[in-house]
Amino acid sequence: MLSLDGSWVWDFWLADDGTDHHLFFLHAPMSLGDESRRHRAARIGHAVSTDLVRWELREAPFSVGPTGAFDETATWTGNVLQGPDGLWRMFYTGTRFLADEPHMANIETVGVATSADLATWTKQPGPVTSADARWYETWGTSSWKEEAWRDPWVFADPTGDGFHMLVTARADHGDLDDRGVVGHAVSTDLSTWEVRPPLSHPGAGFAHVEVLQVAQVGDRWVLLFSCSADATTTARAIGHPNVGTWAMLVDSPTGPFDLSQAQPLTSESLYSGRLVQHRDGSWALLAFHNDRTPEGFRSAISDPIPFSISPQGEIELHEIATARS
């Protein structure tokens, strides 16, 4: 388990260099007092492990950009992959808040940094993608608190046709609490990106679908995302009142996705779940402990929880009680 004295720790993503698992995670100081302030103060940390249990902290990859930059306020969730050229790329969310606290209005876009060794990173001019008003809700077109375009998940097309980026986004139509969709962009070279229409439709019961991931587990593809009851429609919250991470089997990692078919995987106490593969080929889920106690919000990144898909297509977590209902 990874925790930091004096800091909140939450969303994270992983990269495997063949020797170490590299964990990149969001953190903010508890000295802020109110945990709701952590998002504006988020920075990216770095740790490594050989077993996904014991973590050694490393130097942070980079910080926020200068005044006026797309990431001038905070650096949020992303993912890392190694390109065909051997270069590692970290796609991450840059946030630019439009007013001082307590206002929440912010513009989210996706940037990229590169590294030869997962240790020293160079941010590239950005952003590389942003919400396209042809399909996506943008700031000022509704009363929503932000322009949602965050949590990029970038992966190679399984047929070899370039790369895809899945993004937490909101459609430009539908009920305000029901616009959550899977945003989509494509690239042939990981440098130039074309934003495309979403891979799902609004109306599935989610205001947003956060921390997206697709993974091939055996011969099955699975889509994961997170959304708590306070960001779902009333009907979905009544049916599933205590969910953190959702999962569903999909025919293809490039969609289309019917998010109404997603099922609870964890309770809200385990949020931002990510699948990771052990060296022996088995799969596990990591999530952050989203714990609110009388003493305040406490967070840490969990130890791996065994994950499998049964021959009958049942998604299963082991050694903990799931939130299925």
Side-chain angles (χ1 to χ4, degrees):
M1 181 181 298
L2 176 73
S3 62
L4 295 181
D5 291 339
S7 291
W8 295 299
V9 176
W10 65 105
D11 291 7
F12 61 93
W13 54 103
L14 296 125
D16 184 354
D17 67 7
T19 300
D20 292 315
H21 295 280
H22 292 255
L23 181 76
F24 299 93
F25 58 91
L26 301 189
H27 63 96
M30 291 180 182
S31 59
L32 291 169
D34 181 351
E35 66 91 7
S36 66
R37 301 180 67 198
R38 62 190 163 94
H39 300 291
R40 188 184 289 258
R43 303 293 185 266
I44 298 172
H46 182 198
V48 297
S49 175
T50 57
D51 61 5
L52 298 169
V53 175
R54 295 177 293 270
W55 295 97
E56 176 187 337
L57 290 174
R58 295 286 176 86
E59 185 175 350
F62 50 81
S63 190
V64 297
T67 300
F70 75 97
D71 59 352
E72 70 171 346
T73 307
T75 48
W76 285 1
T77 310
N79 83 314
V80 172
L81 79 163
Q82 190 173 31
D85 55 2
L87 198 64
W88 294 93
R89 290 169 173 84
M90 183 188 300
F91 293 89
Y92 69 97
T93 308
T95 68
R96 180 171 57 87
F97 280 71
L98 303 181
D100 294 335
E101 296 179 296
H103 299 288
M104 294 297 294
N106 74 94
I107 306 298
E108 303 159 4
T109 51
V110 172
V112 65
T114 58
S115 175
D117 58 5
L118 292 169
T120 301
W121 293 87
T122 302
K123 288 200 286 187
Q124 305 300 303
V128 295
T129 64
S130 58
D132 189 321
R134 288 179 292 176
W135 307 294
Y136 300 100
E137 180 185 87
T138 55
W139 177 249
T141 59
S142 81
S143 59
W144 193 248
K145 62 185 178 180
E146 63 199 354
E147 181 172 303
W149 191 264
R150 65 182 181 273
D151 305 349
W153 181 260
V154 178
F155 62 96
D157 187 284
T159 68
D161 185 19
F163 300 87
H164 298 267
M165 179 187 294
L166 308 185
V167 188
T168 295
R170 285 171 52 84
D172 64 354
H173 61 282
D175 293 340
L176 198 64
D177 62 352
D178 209 1
R179 292 189 177 192
V181 292
V182 179
H184 186 214
V186 296
S187 176
T188 58
D189 58 5
L190 292 171
S191 295
T192 302
W193 289 87
E194 175 192 352
V195 175
R196 290 189 176 177
L199 296 176
S200 65
H201 295 289
F206 302 99
H208 55 214
V209 287
E210 300 188 295
V211 198
L212 291 151
Q213 181 189 16
V214 285
Q216 186 174 20
V217 178
D219 61 355
R220 305 265 194 158
W221 285 98
V222 60
L223 171 71
L224 266 64
F225 62 88
S226 288
C227 185
S228 55
D230 60 0
T232 64
T233 59
T234 300
R236 185 164 284 274
I238 290 172
H240 300 292
N242 180 26
V243 183
T245 304
W246 301 75
M248 57 184 291
L249 296 181
V250 295
D251 293 331
S252 166
T254 59
F257 305 126
D258 180 1
L259 298 182
S260 68
Q261 299 304 304
Q263 295 296 312
L265 184 64
T266 72
S267 70
E268 192 173 342
S269 65
L270 287 171
Y271 203 79
S272 299
R274 297 282 201 187
L275 292 179
V276 61
Q277 195 167 23
H278 289 289
R279 295 278 184 260
D280 65 4
S282 62
W283 286 87
L285 181 87
L286 272 66
F288 86 80
H289 289 284
N290 185 28
D291 298 325
R292 285 165 172 81
T293 70
E295 292 75 32
F297 176 68
R298 295 292 181 268
S299 57
I301 297 172
S302 74
D303 288 340
I305 304 163
F307 175 95
S308 65
I309 300 173
S310 75
Q312 294 74 36
E314 290 292 323
I315 296 172
E316 298 174 337
L317 282 182
H318 307 274
E319 300 181 359
I320 70 165
T322 70
R324 293 184 183 280
S325 57

